[in-house]
Amino acid sequence: MLKVFIVDDEAPAREELRYLLAQFPDVSVIGEAASGEEAIEAVMQLEPDAVFLDIHLQDRDGVDVGQELLESMVRPPVIIFASAYEIHAVRAFETEAVDYIVKPFSETRLEKTMNRVRKMLHAQKTRAEPARFSEEQLQSLLQTVLADQQPRRVPVEKNGKIILIDPNEIVFATLEGRYASIYTDCEQYATSFTLQELESRLSRQQFFRSHRAFIVNLAKTAELVPWFKGSIHLVMQDSRKTEVPVSRNVVKELKKRLGF
């Protein structure tokens, strides 16, 4: 049996992962922790084969917790970092984690992760030292993370219902209050995401953070309009011909992304 330990400060996330891992007949979840300090003590005592470690813990940075485990234990567990954001992936891999998965977890992605865990543990049994990943392997894993994280649908709210929309339908998103609102050609939808959380779920190739309060679909832009003191506005391809502001500090990057 593969002994697995879960670290996440959100109980629903721990429950979801425990449920998904229970589908693997050779996996046993031997413990959980809601904080970094609790995790370090428990992992060093229980010596699991693998640890699913959330990066955003309330008391400590999850990457630092993983680094401490790897440096403190003679036979450290395989570390799988988990987060709703891909921006930490490179830093997580620098700790020689075997994988990095993006929330919400999917059964298919988790199966790939467990296959990597099995291979790494098998490799460790034939070596005096734990197996390490080369830079090329880490970059390959990162590309897999980026590909797997792009959602096929985005959950939005309308008239008390949860609707799943294709990201390609999104024209732009903006911050309204605490959470992001999504605009399609003719509709407006509320979400339970902050703008940063929504940005992390959308393709970086297709969507662009034009302003601290706006994300635009580059495929839905129609015109660039010069604005005040070197800034510009984007005219979007929706029924309202909405003008979205572009901060001066990202104008150059936007033009590059649009091909001029």
Side-chain angles (χ1 to χ4, degrees):
M1 295 290 290
L2 293 177
K3 298 182 296 180
V4 173
F5 193 91
I6 299 171
V7 185
D8 198 304
D9 55 14
E10 296 183 357
R14 296 197 303 272
E15 292 172 6
E16 177 191 14
L17 184 53
R18 179 183 280 272
Y19 171 79
L20 292 173
L21 289 171
Q23 311 309 307
F24 299 94
D26 64 336
V27 173
S28 174
V29 178
I30 63 171
E32 299 179 2
S35 69
E37 291 301 323
E38 180 186 356
I40 291 172
E41 181 178 353
V43 169
M44 295 185 71
Q45 179 181 354
L46 296 174
E47 297 185 341
D49 298 308
V51 173
F52 282 83
L53 178 57
D54 186 50
I55 282 181
H56 298 279
L57 299 173
Q58 290 185 359
D59 65 329
R60 290 190 57 177
D61 183 295
V63 176
D64 292 339
V65 172
Q67 186 68 49
E68 183 169 338
L69 290 173
L70 292 172
E71 293 175 351
S72 302
M73 301 179 69
V74 176
R75 279 286 177 181
V78 170
I79 304 291
I80 305 101
F81 288 105
S83 176
Y85 311 99
E86 60 85 11
I87 55 177
H88 300 279
V90 173
R91 181 169 170 240
F93 284 155
E94 288 174 353
T95 68
E96 297 171 338
V98 66
D99 210 348
Y100 180 103
I101 58 178
V102 178
K103 298 178 181 179
F105 308 123
S106 71
E107 294 182 18
T108 301
R109 184 68 179 88
L110 196 58
E111 184 173 5
K112 292 179 182 179
T113 293
M114 294 313 300
N115 286 336
R116 291 191 181 118
V117 169
R118 295 184 187 97
K119 290 178 181 179
M120 191 171 188
L121 290 173
H122 177 74
Q124 287 182 4
K125 291 179 180 179
T126 63
R127 292 178 171 87
E129 296 293 333
R132 303 299 186 188
F133 281 94
S134 67
E135 182 178 351
E136 291 77 13
Q137 288 173 309
L138 295 183
Q139 288 300 323
S140 176
L141 286 178
L142 176 57
Q143 292 305 313
T144 301
V145 169
L146 297 180
D148 287 350
Q149 77 153 6
Q150 310 304 345
R152 291 186 174 88
R153 295 290 186 269
V154 176
V156 297
E157 301 171 17
K158 185 78 172 183
N159 298 327
K161 297 180 180 179
I162 302 297
I163 304 170
L164 300 177
I165 65 171
D166 188 326
N168 294 316
E169 295 180 26
I170 299 173
V171 177
F172 69 94
T174 186
L175 191 61
E176 297 183 356
R178 183 178 176 184
Y179 299 106
S181 288
I182 286 176
Y183 289 79
T184 60
D185 182 37
C186 300
E187 296 286 346
Q188 174 188 356
Y189 300 98
T191 78
S192 58
F193 302 116
T194 65
L195 203 63
Q196 183 180 6
E197 289 170 340
L198 178 62
E199 182 183 18
S200 73
R201 294 175 63 88
L202 298 173
S203 167
R204 297 298 176 88
Q205 285 70 45
Q206 183 176 353
F207 291 87
F208 184 77
R209 186 71 171 267
S210 67
H211 184 274
R212 63 178 179 80
F214 285 89
I215 298 171
V216 297
N217 184 345
L218 295 176
K220 300 285 188 178
T221 57
E223 299 177 41
L224 277 73
V225 180
W227 206 247
F228 184 65
K229 289 187 176 180
S231 64
I232 61 175
H233 276 195
L234 282 174
V235 179
M236 305 306 296
Q237 294 178 3
D238 58 356
S239 59
R240 303 168 294 275
K241 300 297 182 183
T242 304
E243 290 194 19
V244 173
V246 179
S247 299
R248 283 180 296 170
N249 62 322
V250 298
V251 169
K252 184 177 180 180
E253 175 63 21
L254 175 63
K255 290 182 177 180
K256 180 179 178 182
R257 293 282 297 275
L258 292 174
F260 65 93

